[in-house]
Amino acid sequence: MNAKNNLHVDLVIASKNWAVSSRHIHKVVAHTLQLQNKFKNTGNKPVEVSIILTNNAKIKKINRETRGMDKPTNVLSFPLSPEKTQPLLGIVTGK
């Protein structure tokens, strides 16, 4: 599978503290998924990854609501239901 043609990265930059291009994020995600062999069982179906880049206050709130930990963290990831039409690996948020 050609990761560049079959990968959709949904990127939300929710903080002005992030100076990163969506093209760079797409390349990093595609490379990481290839290294982890995440494309091997997807056939020709597209793969979607959602990423939210946010600040400490927001990630602290998400961490508290989802994990019961009232502190910021570097990364949170959430698996999605396998019943989607596209293989969705999950949602990743970062501070």
Side-chain angles (χ1 to χ4, degrees), residues 1 11 30 36 90:
M1 169 181 272
L11 176 63
Q36 297 296 316

Side-chain angles (χ1 to χ4, degrees), residues 41-53:
N41 295 322
T42 62
N44 288 327
K45 294 180 182 177
V47 173
E48 181 178 327
V49 177
S50 296
I51 300 172
I52 302 169
L53 301 176

Side-chain angles (χ1 to χ4, degrees), residues 1-2 7 11 15-17 19 23 25 28 41 46-47 52 55 57 62 68 70 75 79 90 93:
M1 169 181 272
N2 182 340
L7 174 64
L11 176 63
S15 173
K16 295 178 183 176
N17 297 333
R23 185 176 180 174
I25 293 291
V28 169
N41 295 322
V47 173
I52 302 169
N55 58 30
I62 296 169
D70 194 24
V75 174
T93 65

Side-chain angles (χ1 to χ4, degrees), residues 2-76:
N2 182 340
K4 289 183 181 180
N5 294 332
N6 293 301
L7 174 64
H8 173 75
V9 178
D10 181 26
L11 176 63
V12 175
I13 301 176
S15 173
K16 295 178 183 176
N17 297 333
W18 290 94
V20 63
S21 75
S22 59
R23 185 176 180 174
H24 177 73
I25 293 291
H26 189 278
K27 285 181 181 180
V28 169
V29 170
H31 182 70
T32 301
L33 293 176
Q34 284 178 323
L35 289 176
Q36 297 296 316
N37 273 333
K38 294 297 182 183
F39 290 111
K40 66 181 177 184
N41 295 322
T42 62
N44 288 327
K45 294 180 182 177
V47 173
E48 181 178 327
V49 177
S50 296
I51 300 172
I52 302 169
L53 301 176
T54 189
N55 58 30
N56 279 347
K58 181 65 174 174
I59 200 145
K60 179 180 176 180
K61 179 181 179 200
I62 296 169
N63 199 22
R64 182 178 57 246
E65 292 172 354
T66 59
R67 298 178 60 222
M69 301 183 79
D70 194 24
K71 62 182 182 176
T73 185
N74 291 338
V75 174
L76 292 170

